[in-house]
Amino acid sequence: MKKFLSSIILAAAIGMFFNGCSSKSDTKESRVEATSQPFTERDVETAEGTYVFDRAGILDAETLKACNDYAGWLYKEKLINTAVITVNDLEGKYPYDYAAEEYNKLYEGKGSGLVILINNDTKYDSVFRSGACLSNISDKEENNAVYWETKEVFKGDYRSAILRLLQLGELCPTHIIDNAQIFDFDQLNKIEKSLGSCKEDVTLLASHNGSETSNEQILQQYYDRKYKNDKGIMFMLDTISGKVIVHSSEKISTDIEKALKDANALSSKGDNYGAVNKILEALK
């Protein structure tokens, strides 16, 4: 299958690539440059669920498994609701709209999402992002990855192409999942660095829970999804209730319990970053 890019889109993509190479000192530009690199294979477990939907029938068994396992790794480790969809017919929809509708069907539009659409209809692939993926993956990073993915599709290398786009998920933090897009880029980096330096494995989930499911149930689901049989601590900050809660398989320390009271006092007033800092202080 061939992909045809307009000269304008192609020139823009090339321009972004070379601009990234000339600004290695800039963290954001370095991230753009990183999307130019081939996918680095990971040793991941066999995924329990189905994340790749090859409706166009273009993926061989080995490619399908590799992509599904890696998507499953992102789902568990990064807590990203991930999907890869190949299609021959967009049913008259724009590629992005098709991907967005599929995300709503698969995940009810909830959480942080990353959907890769391999479009065998109008020949323009698309990436749908939401939540943390929208905050942590820039348009430049996405466009640059799509540019190089297109070259791989030209060669018929769907495995490398799909894995390259899925790898955008690794630009998202590991310890803070900002589903509600509460924090800016710099705040996310500071929180991620602090949580990553903790002795325990700690994760913070930022949510805007308008569903009938309680915060406690949501936190339990995310905890089981990430830690399963492992040990860890997971906090959930919900902007609607203005509350911060915690779950762990281990006993919560008195320092953390005290920090939660202080954090709740701040989050109830809308000071979410201040609330998180109270927790970070207790984890030192």
Side-chain angles (χ1 to χ4, degrees), residues 10-31:
L10 186 59
I14 294 173
M16 283 185 290
F17 167 57
F18 285 110
N19 285 339
C21 286
S22 64
S23 306
K24 290 186 178 180
S25 60
D26 186 308
T27 301
K28 292 184 179 180
E29 291 303 324
S30 297
R31 284 162 55 98

PDB file of all heavy atoms in Angstrom, residues 10-31:
ATOM      1  N   LEU A  10       4.720  17.238   3.403  1.00  0.00           N
ATOM      2  CA  LEU A  10       6.031  16.611   3.394  1.00  0.00           C
ATOM      3  C   LEU A  10       7.110  17.614   3.760  1.00  0.00           C
ATOM      4  O   LEU A  10       7.999  17.338   4.570  1.00  0.00           O
ATOM      5  CB  LEU A  10       6.307  16.021   2.010  1.00  0.00           C
ATOM      6  CG  LEU A  10       7.589  15.199   1.852  1.00  0.00           C
ATOM      7  CD1 LEU A  10       7.569  14.024   2.822  1.00  0.00           C
ATOM      8  CD2 LEU A  10       7.735  14.714   0.424  1.00  0.00           C
ATOM      9  N   ALA A  11       7.026  18.814   3.191  1.00  0.00           N
ATOM     10  CA  ALA A  11       8.028  19.837   3.483  1.00  0.00           C
ATOM     11  C   ALA A  11       7.979  20.239   4.944  1.00  0.00           C
ATOM     12  O   ALA A  11       9.011  20.444   5.586  1.00  0.00           O
ATOM     13  CB  ALA A  11       7.796  21.065   2.596  1.00  0.00           C
ATOM     14  N   ALA A  12       6.762  20.343   5.486  1.00  0.00           N
ATOM     15  CA  ALA A  12       6.620  20.716   6.895  1.00  0.00           C
ATOM     16  C   ALA A  12       7.225  19.668   7.796  1.00  0.00           C
ATOM     17  O   ALA A  12       7.902  19.973   8.776  1.00  0.00           O
ATOM     18  CB  ALA A  12       5.137  20.907   7.232  1.00  0.00           C
ATOM     19  N   ALA A  13       6.981  18.399   7.454  1.00  0.00           N
ATOM     20  CA  ALA A  13       7.516  17.316   8.276  1.00  0.00           C
ATOM     21  C   ALA A  13       9.031  17.300   8.239  1.00  0.00           C
ATOM     22  O   ALA A  13       9.697  17.129   9.254  1.00  0.00           O
ATOM     23  CB  ALA A  13       6.963  15.971   7.787  1.00  0.00           C
ATOM     24  N   ILE A  14       9.607  17.487   7.029  1.00  0.00           N
ATOM     25  CA  ILE A  14      11.062  17.503   6.901  1.00  0.00           C
ATOM     26  C   ILE A  14      11.641  18.678   7.676  1.00  0.00           C
ATOM     27  O   ILE A  14      12.657  18.568   8.356  1.00  0.00           O
ATOM     28  CB  ILE A  14      11.471  17.590   5.415  1.00  0.00           C
ATOM     29  CG1 ILE A  14      11.049  16.302   4.697  1.00  0.00           C
ATOM     30  CG2 ILE A  14      12.969  17.813   5.273  1.00  0.00           C
ATOM     31  CD1 ILE A  14      11.257  16.348   3.196  1.00  0.00           C
ATOM     32  N   GLY A  15      10.950  19.819   7.595  1.00  0.00           N
ATOM     33  CA  GLY A  15      11.411  21.004   8.307  1.00  0.00           C
ATOM     34  C   GLY A  15      11.457  20.776   9.792  1.00  0.00           C
ATOM     35  O   GLY A  15      12.403  21.166  10.474  1.00  0.00           O
ATOM     36  N   MET A  16      10.429  20.115  10.333  1.00  0.00           N
ATOM     37  CA  MET A  16      10.395  19.843  11.764  1.00  0.00           C
ATOM     38  C   MET A  16      11.524  18.913  12.160  1.00  0.00           C
ATOM     39  O   MET A  16      12.124  19.051  13.215  1.00  0.00           O
ATOM     40  CB  MET A  16       9.053  19.222  12.153  1.00  0.00           C
ATOM     41  CG  MET A  16       7.931  20.226  12.224  1.00  0.00           C
ATOM     42  SD  MET A  16       6.416  19.488  12.819  1.00  0.00           S
ATOM     43  CE  MET A  16       5.983  18.463  11.438  1.00  0.00           C
ATOM     44  N   PHE A  17      11.827  17.954  11.296  1.00  0.00           N
ATOM     45  CA  PHE A  17      12.892  17.005  11.603  1.00  0.00           C
ATOM     46  C   PHE A  17      14.229  17.716  11.733  1.00  0.00           C
ATOM     47  O   PHE A  17      14.952  17.561  12.703  1.00  0.00           O
ATOM     48  CB  PHE A  17      12.953  15.935  10.511  1.00  0.00           C
ATOM     49  CG  PHE A  17      14.197  15.089  10.569  1.00  0.00           C
ATOM     50  CD1 PHE A  17      14.506  14.380  11.716  1.00  0.00           C
ATOM     51  CD2 PHE A  17      15.058  15.014   9.491  1.00  0.00           C
ATOM     52  CE1 PHE A  17      15.641  13.592  11.780  1.00  0.00           C
ATOM     53  CE2 PHE A  17      16.191  14.239   9.556  1.00  0.00           C
ATOM     54  CZ  PHE A  17      16.485  13.528  10.695  1.00  0.00           C
ATOM     55  N   PHE A  18      14.567  18.560  10.744  1.00  0.00           N
ATOM     56  CA  PHE A  18      15.866  19.218  10.781  1.00  0.00           C
ATOM     57  C   PHE A  18      15.937  20.287  11.856  1.00  0.00           C
ATOM     58  O   PHE A  18      16.983  20.526  12.432  1.00  0.00           O
ATOM     59  CB  PHE A  18      16.195  19.810   9.400  1.00  0.00           C
ATOM     60  CG  PHE A  18      16.587  18.748   8.404  1.00  0.00           C
ATOM     61  CD1 PHE A  18      15.761  18.419   7.346  1.00  0.00           C
ATOM     62  CD2 PHE A  18      17.767  18.039   8.560  1.00  0.00           C
ATOM     63  CE1 PHE A  18      16.120  17.428   6.449  1.00  0.00           C
ATOM     64  CE2 PHE A  18      18.126  17.043   7.668  1.00  0.00           C
ATOM     65  CZ  PHE A  18      17.301  16.737   6.607  1.00  0.00           C
ATOM     66  N   ASN A  19      14.827  20.934  12.153  1.00  0.00           N
ATOM     67  CA  ASN A  19      14.829  21.891  13.254  1.00  0.00           C
ATOM     68  C   ASN A  19      15.132  21.185  14.561  1.00  0.00           C
ATOM     69  O   ASN A  19      15.842  21.689  15.415  1.00  0.00           O
ATOM     70  CB  ASN A  19      13.466  22.591  13.356  1.00  0.00           C
ATOM     71  CG  ASN A  19      13.293  23.618  12.250  1.00  0.00           C
ATOM     72  OD1 ASN A  19      14.264  24.074  11.681  1.00  0.00           O
ATOM     73  ND2 ASN A  19      12.047  23.954  11.950  1.00  0.00           N
ATOM     74  N   GLY A  20      14.570  19.974  14.725  1.00  0.00           N
ATOM     75  CA  GLY A  20      14.819  19.209  15.941  1.00  0.00           C
ATOM     76  C   GLY A  20      16.291  18.865  16.063  1.00  0.00           C
ATOM     77  O   GLY A  20      16.868  18.908  17.134  1.00  0.00           O
ATOM     78  N   CYS A  21      16.936  18.519  14.949  1.00  0.00           N
ATOM     79  CA  CYS A  21      18.345  18.132  14.986  1.00  0.00           C
ATOM     80  C   CYS A  21      19.238  19.305  15.350  1.00  0.00           C
ATOM     81  O   CYS A  21      20.318  19.119  15.893  1.00  0.00           O
ATOM     82  CB  CYS A  21      18.769  17.584  13.619  1.00  0.00           C
ATOM     83  SG  CYS A  21      18.128  15.940  13.279  1.00  0.00           S
ATOM     84  N   SER A  22      18.815  20.506  15.043  1.00  0.00           N
ATOM     85  CA  SER A  22      19.673  21.659  15.280  1.00  0.00           C
ATOM     86  C   SER A  22      19.511  22.246  16.668  1.00  0.00           C
ATOM     87  O   SER A  22      20.151  23.222  17.002  1.00  0.00           O
ATOM     88  CB  SER A  22      19.369  22.752  14.238  1.00  0.00           C
ATOM     89  OG  SER A  22      18.041  23.213  14.398  1.00  0.00           O
ATOM     90  N   SER A  23      18.637  21.662  17.496  1.00  0.00           N
ATOM     91  CA  SER A  23      18.375  22.230  18.819  1.00  0.00           C
ATOM     92  C   SER A  23      18.435  21.167  19.897  1.00  0.00           C
ATOM     93  O   SER A  23      17.500  20.979  20.654  1.00  0.00           O
ATOM     94  CB  SER A  23      16.997  22.907  18.840  1.00  0.00           C
ATOM     95  OG  SER A  23      16.880  23.838  17.816  1.00  0.00           O
ATOM     96  N   LYS A  24      19.535  20.454  19.965  1.00  0.00           N
ATOM     97  CA  LYS A  24      19.646  19.347  20.903  1.00  0.00           C
ATOM     98  C   LYS A  24      19.613  19.805  22.348  1.00  0.00           C
ATOM     99  O   LYS A  24      19.277  19.035  23.238  1.00  0.00           O
ATOM    100  CB  LYS A  24      20.934  18.563  20.640  1.00  0.00           C
ATOM    101  CG  LYS A  24      20.893  17.771  19.341  1.00  0.00           C
ATOM    102  CD  LYS A  24      22.114  16.914  19.188  1.00  0.00           C
ATOM    103  CE  LYS A  24      22.051  16.094  17.910  1.00  0.00           C
ATOM    104  NZ  LYS A  24      23.234  15.237  17.740  1.00  0.00           N
ATOM    105  N   SER A  25      19.954  21.059  22.589  1.00  0.00           N
ATOM    106  CA  SER A  25      19.976  21.543  23.961  1.00  0.00           C
ATOM    107  C   SER A  25      18.575  21.788  24.492  1.00  0.00           C
ATOM    108  O   SER A  25      18.362  21.870  25.689  1.00  0.00           O
ATOM    109  CB  SER A  25      20.787  22.847  24.039  1.00  0.00           C
ATOM    110  OG  SER A  25      20.197  23.833  23.210  1.00  0.00           O
ATOM    111  N   ASP A  26      17.615  21.910  23.604  1.00  0.00           N
ATOM    112  CA  ASP A  26      16.239  22.159  24.004  1.00  0.00           C
ATOM    113  C   ASP A  26      15.549  20.821  24.249  1.00  0.00           C
ATOM    114  O   ASP A  26      15.479  19.982  23.362  1.00  0.00           O
ATOM    115  CB  ASP A  26      15.523  22.944  22.895  1.00  0.00           C
ATOM    116  CG  ASP A  26      14.125  23.375  23.312  1.00  0.00           C
ATOM    117  OD1 ASP A  26      13.339  22.517  23.751  1.00  0.00           O
ATOM    118  OD2 ASP A  26      13.833  24.562  23.186  1.00  0.00           O
ATOM    119  N   THR A  27      15.021  20.615  25.448  1.00  0.00           N
ATOM    120  CA  THR A  27      14.419  19.335  25.812  1.00  0.00           C
ATOM    121  C   THR A  27      13.284  18.957  24.875  1.00  0.00           C
ATOM    122  O   THR A  27      13.203  17.827  24.400  1.00  0.00           O
ATOM    123  CB  THR A  27      13.891  19.387  27.254  1.00  0.00           C
ATOM    124  OG1 THR A  27      14.968  19.687  28.129  1.00  0.00           O
ATOM    125  CG2 THR A  27      13.292  18.049  27.647  1.00  0.00           C
ATOM    126  N   LYS A  28      12.393  19.900  24.590  1.00  0.00           N
ATOM    127  CA  LYS A  28      11.250  19.598  23.737  1.00  0.00           C
ATOM    128  C   LYS A  28      11.695  19.255  22.321  1.00  0.00           C
ATOM    129  O   LYS A  28      11.146  18.363  21.684  1.00  0.00           O
ATOM    130  CB  LYS A  28      10.276  20.782  23.732  1.00  0.00           C
ATOM    131  CG  LYS A  28       9.581  20.995  25.076  1.00  0.00           C
ATOM    132  CD  LYS A  28       8.555  22.105  25.013  1.00  0.00           C
ATOM    133  CE  LYS A  28       7.862  22.287  26.358  1.00  0.00           C
ATOM    134  NZ  LYS A  28       6.853  23.366  26.340  1.00  0.00           N
ATOM    135  N   GLU A  29      12.697  19.985  21.798  1.00  0.00           N
ATOM    136  CA  GLU A  29      13.184  19.691  20.457  1.00  0.00           C
ATOM    137  C   GLU A  29      13.897  18.343  20.423  1.00  0.00           C
ATOM    138  O   GLU A  29      13.846  17.629  19.426  1.00  0.00           O
ATOM    139  CB  GLU A  29      14.118  20.810  19.976  1.00  0.00           C
ATOM    140  CG  GLU A  29      13.410  22.129  19.697  1.00  0.00           C
ATOM    141  CD  GLU A  29      12.288  21.987  18.684  1.00  0.00           C
ATOM    142  OE1 GLU A  29      12.430  21.197  17.731  1.00  0.00           O
ATOM    143  OE2 GLU A  29      11.258  22.651  18.846  1.00  0.00           O
ATOM    144  N   SER A  30      14.564  17.989  21.515  1.00  0.00           N
ATOM    145  CA  SER A  30      15.224  16.687  21.586  1.00  0.00           C
ATOM    146  C   SER A  30      14.197  15.565  21.544  1.00  0.00           C
ATOM    147  O   SER A  30      14.443  14.503  20.974  1.00  0.00           O
ATOM    148  CB  SER A  30      16.052  16.584  22.873  1.00  0.00           C
ATOM    149  OG  SER A  30      17.076  17.546  22.884  1.00  0.00           O
ATOM    150  N   ARG A  31      13.039  15.805  22.149  1.00  0.00           N
ATOM    151  CA  ARG A  31      11.962  14.817  22.116  1.00  0.00           C
ATOM    152  C   ARG A  31      11.446  14.637  20.693  1.00  0.00           C
ATOM    153  O   ARG A  31      11.127  13.528  20.272  1.00  0.00           O
ATOM    154  CB  ARG A  31      10.827  15.249  23.049  1.00  0.00           C
ATOM    155  CG  ARG A  31      11.121  15.030  24.527  1.00  0.00           C
ATOM    156  CD  ARG A  31      10.181  15.847  25.395  1.00  0.00           C
ATOM    157  NE  ARG A  31       8.783  15.586  25.116  1.00  0.00           N
ATOM    158  CZ  ARG A  31       8.007  14.763  25.828  1.00  0.00           C
ATOM    159  NH1 ARG A  31       8.516  14.109  26.857  1.00  0.00           N
ATOM    160  NH2 ARG A  31       6.737  14.605  25.521  1.00  0.00           N
TER     161      ARG A  31
END
